[in-house]
Amino acid sequence: MTVTELVPQQSTVLVDARDTCLRATWHPTDHVVVLSHWREGVCASTFRLAGADITRMATFLVGVLGDQAATTEAAAVPGPAPANVLVRSRAWLERWRARLTNA
């Protein structure tokens, strides 16, 4: 008999202008983030981010966020304070790095 351990998953879903979805799910047992691309309620593809790839992707996104924040600030578009978003994003990245280091 196989014993299956139920582990609460952390995930988020993003929907773009074409109504396609990108779901990111953290699988702590496997230490991977699974990215799944959904179209019309059907999973079209998946990609498993593991180890250093998670850090590379997070670093890339934080860098882009910094560029976006600078552009947003220059355009004076109302919204969340760019510095606050950047600080939270950097803290998130540091937590991921700590998880990978301790894994």
Side-chain angles (χ1 to χ4, degrees), residues 18-31:
R18 303 168 297 170
D19 281 336
T20 63
C21 300
L22 178 67
R23 181 172 144 188
T25 305
W26 169 242
H27 295 269
T29 305
D30 300 324
H31 300 289

Side-chain angles (χ1 to χ4, degrees), residues 8 15 18 21 24 28 31 37-38 40-41 45 53 59 63 72 76-77 79 81 84 92:
V15 181
R18 303 168 297 170
C21 300
H31 300 289
H37 182 222
W38 294 75
E40 297 177 3
S45 63
D53 291 335
T59 301
T72 301
V77 174
N84 189 30
W92 177 82

Side-chain angles (χ1 to χ4, degrees), residues 30-98:
D30 300 324
H31 300 289
V32 297
V33 171
V34 176
L35 301 174
S36 51
H37 182 222
W38 294 75
R39 280 187 234 137
E40 297 177 3
V42 177
C43 181
S45 63
T46 63
F47 187 88
R48 293 171 58 96
L49 280 170
D53 291 335
I54 297 170
T55 304
R56 283 180 48 213
M57 178 62 82
T59 301
F60 167 75
L61 292 172
V62 168
V64 170
L65 181 62
D67 291 346
Q68 178 199 15
T71 302
T72 301
E73 189 174 289
V77 174
N84 189 30
V85 172
L86 190 55
V87 167
R88 288 193 333 253
S89 298
R90 285 184 178 150
W92 177 82
L93 179 59
E94 290 303 319
R95 286 192 305 272
W96 271 105
R97 286 183 181 162

